[in-house]
């Protein structure tokens, strides 16, 4: 069965699967939300959204609590299974993430590509970065994040073209041709940025980490607010990404 696409011209998703996926995606990448907020963000009729959410709650994929709807236990278990598959990578990369955090005083994340999503395996941050990290989420469509763009760039953007791209904010690059140009630029410069594409007020920059076969094994991403200037951390970022690649055997 083919995945359900978004509605025409970027409108509300169509079909039961498409509606469920759109709601799960918002909860997974944006944190708890009220029914009213979910209806606004998806464009679904309120009765339809409520019906789908009741089904997801019944299957423990979504939980309903005092702060609204949020990702449920079974979804979290599935996410933990994915993260657990990369234990060695996480262990090797952690000192480099901590180093970059200390040098930049910014939240730092390690991302890998799974399907057409960027999944974050580790995050290093301080108390003042907690809100931004929660807003960023544990995973997101790759084309909306800096780490995801790095990972897509070195797979020639193949995954990004498998199905229609969905925007989340006015800044999201959802046009495949424009995204292709961005990925080409990433291959030239070795870095990617995402300015408020996943969430308003959130700016990220990422660089690749190479593995033994010199293929990109992961991306190291720095998270900032709307005033964040990636060029201010570029030197430290590049140095840490290079050292991490050496540790994985991708650079000598």
């Amino acid at each position: 069965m083919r995945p359900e696409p978004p509605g025409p011209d970027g409108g509300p998703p169509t079909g039961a699967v498409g509606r469920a996926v759109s709601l799960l995606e918002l909860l997974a990448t944006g944190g708890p939300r009220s029914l009213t907020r979910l209806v606004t963000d998806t464009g679904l009729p309120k009765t339809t959204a409520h019906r789908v959410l009741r089904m997801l709650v019944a299957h423990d994929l979504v939980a309903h609590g005092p702060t609204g709807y949020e990702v449920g236990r079974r979804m979290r278990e599935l996410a933990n299974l994915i993260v657990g598959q990369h234990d060695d990578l996480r262990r090797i990369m952690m000192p480099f993430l901590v180093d970059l955090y200390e040098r930049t005083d910014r939240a730092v994340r390690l991302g890998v590509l799974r399907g057409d999503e960027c999944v974050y395996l580790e995050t290093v941050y301080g108390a003042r970065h907690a809100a931004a990290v929660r807003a960023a989420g544990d995973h997101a469509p790759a084309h909306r994040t800096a780490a995801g763009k790095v990972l897509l760039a070195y797979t020639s953007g193949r995954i990004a073209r498998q199905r229609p791209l969905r925007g989340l904010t006015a800044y999201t690059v959802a046009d495949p041709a424009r995204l292709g140009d961005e990925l080409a630029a990433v291959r030239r410069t070795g870095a990617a940025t995402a300015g408020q594409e996943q969430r308003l007020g959130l700016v990220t920059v990422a660089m690749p980490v190479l593995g033994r076969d010199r293929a990109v094994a992961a991306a190291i991403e720095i998270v900032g607010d709307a005033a964040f200037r990636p060029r201010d951390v570029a030197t430290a970022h590049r140095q840490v990404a290079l050292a991490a690649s050496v540790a994985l055997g991708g650079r000598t």
Side-chain angles (χ1 to χ4, degrees):
M1 179 180 294
R2 297 178 62 185
E4 295 283 353
D9 301 320
T14 58
V17 174
R19 293 165 185 149
V21 168
S22 69
L23 290 165
L24 287 170
E25 183 179 86
L26 284 172
L27 294 174
T29 59
R33 299 189 186 203
S34 67
L35 175 60
T36 300
R37 177 70 184 279
L38 288 168
V39 167
T40 299
D41 291 344
T42 61
L44 291 171
K46 186 173 183 179
T47 54
T48 300
H50 189 237
R51 184 175 66 252
V52 175
L53 285 166
R54 285 198 311 175
M55 177 192 69
L56 294 171
V57 168
H59 288 82
D60 217 4
L61 295 170
V62 168
H64 189 203
T67 58
Y69 292 93
E70 60 185 334
V71 171
R73 177 185 58 81
R74 291 184 67 186
M75 282 291 290
R76 295 185 187 280
E77 289 176 351
L78 290 171
N80 289 336
L81 286 175
I82 294 172
V83 171
Q85 294 171 2
H86 299 276
D87 283 345
D88 287 344
L89 178 64
R90 293 165 59 210
R91 176 179 52 80
I92 295 171
M93 290 296 102
M94 180 55 79
F96 299 100
L97 303 181
V98 172
D99 183 23
L100 188 57
Y101 165 71
E102 291 177 343
R103 294 176 65 176
T104 63
D105 193 28
R106 296 281 184 179
V108 177
R109 308 197 292 177
L110 180 70
V112 297
L113 195 65
R114 186 171 182 87
D116 57 2
E117 290 206 333
C118 178
V119 177
Y120 294 100
L121 304 179
E122 287 289 0
T123 304
V124 177
Y125 62 99
R128 72 185 185 91
H129 306 119
V133 170
R134 283 196 300 271
D138 296 327
H139 63 94
H143 69 283
R144 297 180 191 166
T145 70
K149 290 181 183 181
V150 165
L151 298 165
L152 286 175
Y154 292 95
T155 57
S156 300
R158 172 182 54 81
I159 295 173
R161 294 192 296 267
Q162 286 185 357
R163 67 182 185 184
L165 302 177
R166 294 185 59 207
L168 190 60
T169 75
Y171 299 95
T172 306
V173 177
D175 175 63
R178 184 179 165 198
L179 179 62
D181 291 341
E182 283 205 13
L183 299 183
V186 172
R187 290 190 288 273
R188 290 194 303 272
T189 64
T193 59
Q196 305 189 82
E197 296 185 46
Q198 175 62 17
R199 191 175 181 91
L200 293 177
L202 201 69
V203 175
T204 58
V205 59
M207 294 186 182
V209 177
L210 304 185
R212 291 182 183 276
D213 55 0
R214 298 188 64 80
V216 172
I220 295 179
E221 182 180 86
I222 300 176
V223 181
D225 56 21
F228 171 51
R229 298 187 303 178
R231 65 177 178 272
D232 292 343
V233 299
T235 298
H237 200 170
R238 200 170 300 279
Q239 289 173 347
V240 170
L242 177 60
S245 296
V246 171
L248 282 184
R251 295 277 181 90
T252 58

